[in-house]
Amino acid sequence: MDVYTVKFYKKAADFIAELDERIKEMEDSVKALGAEVEQLKAVADRYAKLQSLLRKFKPGEGGQSASLEITGLSIYIDPTPLTKYEIYSQSYAHMLDLLSVLKKVREVANTVISEGGLEGAPIAVQYKQGVPVKLIVL
């Protein structure tokens, strides 16, 4: 299900400033998570090798961490290194994609706003899944 929202800005420059802040926060988060993923990769690899070895002695044992799902929210208690690595890696890849999209949107929006002399104009922005997809000059 796609989630659409609309946000109103008194000045188009406020939208660009908010977008800049969001990009900066995302860059910081990506950097921190990237370091965590790299560190966890070695642990997950060792765990996978050990788990594979142990399966030779007792087939059918081991595997992913079990999660408890409540209304769409999966809860993991003390996940295996492999599970944790998979969750973090998936999030990291998505965050990198989102960061790339936000930077491209910022570049286009900034060009249109600055070259169009719209810095002080009121605008509305439609977001899809948190990504600006439509800019409406009011």
Side-chain angles (χ1 to χ4, degrees):
M1 174 176 83
D2 290 333
V3 177
Y4 290 94
T5 58
V6 173
K7 187 167 182 181
F8 296 91
Y9 298 88
K10 291 182 181 182
K11 298 184 300 184
D14 294 341
F15 165 65
I16 296 298
E18 183 178 289
L19 200 50
D20 285 341
E21 181 62 29
R22 186 163 172 211
I23 288 169
K24 171 72 171 106
E25 288 173 2
M26 183 67 68
E27 286 173 336
D28 292 345
S29 295
V30 164
K31 183 178 178 182
L33 184 57
E36 184 74 21
V37 166
E38 278 302 310
Q39 185 178 16
L40 195 53
K41 183 173 181 8
V43 174
D45 287 345
R46 284 193 308 269
Y47 183 85
K49 286 178 186 175
L50 180 59
Q51 193 175 39
S52 177
L53 177 65
L54 292 175
R55 271 195 220 112
K56 289 180 182 178
F57 297 106
K58 194 168 184 181
E61 293 293 317
Q64 297 290 58
S65 296
S67 67
L68 175 62
E69 189 166 326
I70 303 172
T71 62
L73 176 66
S74 297
I75 301 170
Y76 293 85
I77 298 172
D78 197 24
T80 67
L82 284 174
T83 300
K84 195 173 177 181
Y85 175 74
E86 288 172 5
I87 292 169
Y88 286 12
S89 293
Q90 180 184 39
S91 296
Y92 181 70
H94 177 74
M95 289 167 68
L96 283 175
D97 290 344
L98 179 57
L99 181 58
S100 175
V101 168
L102 289 176
K103 285 181 176 181
K104 288 176 186 172
V105 166
R106 195 248 183 248
E107 182 182 337
V108 170
N110 189 54
T111 300
V112 169
I113 289 168
S114 63
E115 291 183 15
L118 302 172
E119 293 90 346
I123 63 168
V125 177
Q126 182 186 49
Y127 292 84
K128 178 181 177 183
Q129 309 293 98
V131 176
V133 291
K134 295 181 182 169
L135 189 143
I136 304 132
V137 179
L138 303 173

